[in-house]
Amino acid sequence: MTVRFGVTPLATHGRTRVGTTSGAYDPAIAGSVLLPNDDPNHYYAMSAYEGLYNSINTVTFQTAAALDFCNIQKMATAAGVKDGLTNEPYDLSAIPKLIGTNNVAPIDMATSFATFASGGIRCNPIAITSVVDASGKDYPVQGADCQRTISEDVAAGVTYALQSVLVKGSGWNIGLNDKSNAFAKTGTTDGNIDTWTVGATNKIATASWFGSYQGNADQWKNQDITINGKYYAGVDGADLAGGQWAAVMNAAASDPAYTATAFTRPPASMLQSTAALVVGVNDPKPGDAPVAVPQQDSSPAAPAQQESAPAQEQSTTPAPAPSENPTLEPSPAVPTPSVTTSPTPAGKEQNNNGTTPAKQ
């Protein structure tokens, strides 16, 4: 996929960063390359839904390229994602950041998934829920300041799509006991240096990271490596990070307070199939007639190592698939899950979909 960008303005909205987004994935431009996927087997037409649950960089980026970058940033801020070093809104000044190159803290990733799991209610993470002295007297503690930041319909669309990650996508091999009531997203950076699984039920959200806290040099690559007696050609997000995420979630599920129930389904209008998206040509809605898809050079530029995933058929678009234009009307709140994180250094680099060139 060849993508070129000029300068796209980012408007002001609350604490949303004001600036521009620029860059290119175009080998015709000096210093640029094609945006690669993790393996050579997923360069074909698929829905945004498939691209998301299979962690396909090109599809994720093409979807983002058809949207307003400022709105993407506002949605990330609404969910609770921010820069892990500055606590400022996530920076989208360069197009690789749409795939994920900034440092973020695991607690913020867990918070964002808790926002979706709760139906769009974001709560600030707090360490102390109550203080009671020996006589039984209660003392005030900091509140979580819970408020609706995302509509219930949009949150339901996210949980619906990401449930497939655990069933037939990049996290199919994660050993979660109950995959029917959970959703997750895996992530792996270039060189398999940083690997993630972040996910939630409607009762608990957890971010799990495995990687190097010392840097991104070649000596920190997690490739051709044996860990705890098991050999890995490349450690991916679903492996060690996914395993420890599942262990925490399985243990939590044994407590009745954290027993998950089914998520609310998105509205039927969001699940209707649409015509194929052609960036810069159309903005497909349910019922639209298809448009001609221009032929593109789909050959990858030295794709990275594989991330474990089940074999995919060339025509696996599930029906129905989420629309790219979900309803934004507010709906009643639902219970908000608690937030926990695996032991990881705050501010470590988080790449949901890779770096430049992207690694899934």
Side-chain angles (χ1 to χ4, degrees):
M1 179 182 70
T2 300
V3 179
R4 297 183 185 181
F5 278 85
V7 176
T8 301
L10 293 176
T12 303
H13 179 81
R15 295 187 66 220
T16 301
R17 180 182 177 279
V18 177
T20 59
T21 300
S22 61
Y25 287 117
D26 185 351
I29 298 176
S32 182
V33 297
L34 285 173
L35 173 64
N37 289 323
D38 183 49
D39 62 57
N41 301 319
H42 290 88
Y43 292 91
Y44 57 88
M46 66 182 76
S47 69
Y49 174 43
E50 277 185 287
L52 183 61
Y53 72 68
N54 280 320
S55 288
I56 307 303
N57 289 329
T58 51
V59 176
T60 300
F61 189 88
Q62 187 178 31
T63 303
L67 303 176
D68 184 295
F69 294 171
C70 184
N71 286 340
I72 293 175
Q73 188 187 53
K74 288 189 289 186
M75 183 62 73
T77 300
V81 178
K82 55 184 181 291
D83 188 289
L85 297 179
T86 66
N87 284 330
E88 292 297 314
Y90 190 88
D91 179 15
L92 286 179
S93 61
I95 60 170
K97 297 174 185 290
L98 290 165
I99 300 294
T101 58
N102 285 26
N103 294 318
V104 297
I107 190 68
D108 290 335
M109 293 308 301
T111 297
S112 67
F113 273 58
T115 301
F116 295 121
S118 68
I121 304 296
R122 188 189 70 212
C123 297
N124 296 328
I126 56 175
I128 300 173
T129 58
S130 64
V131 175
V132 182
D133 67 16
S135 67
K137 179 181 178 181
D138 289 315
Y139 291 86
V141 296
Q142 179 184 12
D145 189 27
C146 296
Q147 55 185 302
R148 175 170 294 286
T149 58
I150 296 173
S151 77
E152 188 173 16
D153 287 349
V154 170
V158 173
T159 59
Y160 176 90
L162 293 185
Q163 282 184 285
S164 292
V165 170
L166 296 169
V167 177
K168 56 185 176 182
S170 61
W172 68 274
N173 59 331
I174 294 175
L176 186 68
N177 292 338
D178 180 11
K179 294 187 176 183
S180 62
N181 296 315
F183 69 100
K185 183 69 183 72
T186 62
T188 308
T189 65
D190 290 352
N192 307 75
I193 294 173
D194 292 295
T195 66
W196 294 74
T197 292
V198 186
T201 67
N202 64 351
K203 296 296 178 64
I204 183 171
T206 304
S208 173
W209 168 87
F210 172 86
S212 168
Y213 64 90
Q214 301 185 72
N216 295 318
D218 286 347
Q219 64 264 38
W220 309 122
K221 290 182 177 179
N222 289 304
Q223 296 175 339
D224 189 22
I225 189 172
T226 299
I227 301 173
N228 293 335
K230 181 176 180 178
Y231 173 78
Y232 296 89
V235 178
D236 287 307
D239 294 329
L240 298 172
Q244 64 188 18
W245 175 80
V248 171
M249 297 296 282
N250 289 338
S254 65
D255 184 335
Y258 296 111
T259 300
T261 56
F263 287 109
T264 301
R265 284 180 60 85
S269 60
M270 190 181 292
L271 299 179
Q272 294 180 28
S273 298
T274 68
L277 166 68
V278 182
V279 175
V281 176
N282 68 338
D283 181 18
K285 303 291 193 302
D288 287 351
V291 299
V293 180
Q295 295 299 313
Q296 297 183 358
D297 179 8
S298 61
S299 58
Q305 299 299 314
Q306 76 283 353
E307 177 166 326
S308 298
Q312 300 293 323
E313 297 81 19
Q314 291 296 303
S315 178
T316 58
T317 304
S323 164
E324 291 307 311
N325 295 278
T327 304
L328 294 173
E329 297 299 322
S331 303
V334 296
T336 302
S338 61
V339 179
T340 63
T341 64
S342 61
T344 61
K348 188 59 183 162
E349 184 175 4
Q350 152 68 11
N351 291 37
N352 276 348
N353 280 323
T355 58
T356 311
K359 168 76 175 76
Q360 258 309 342

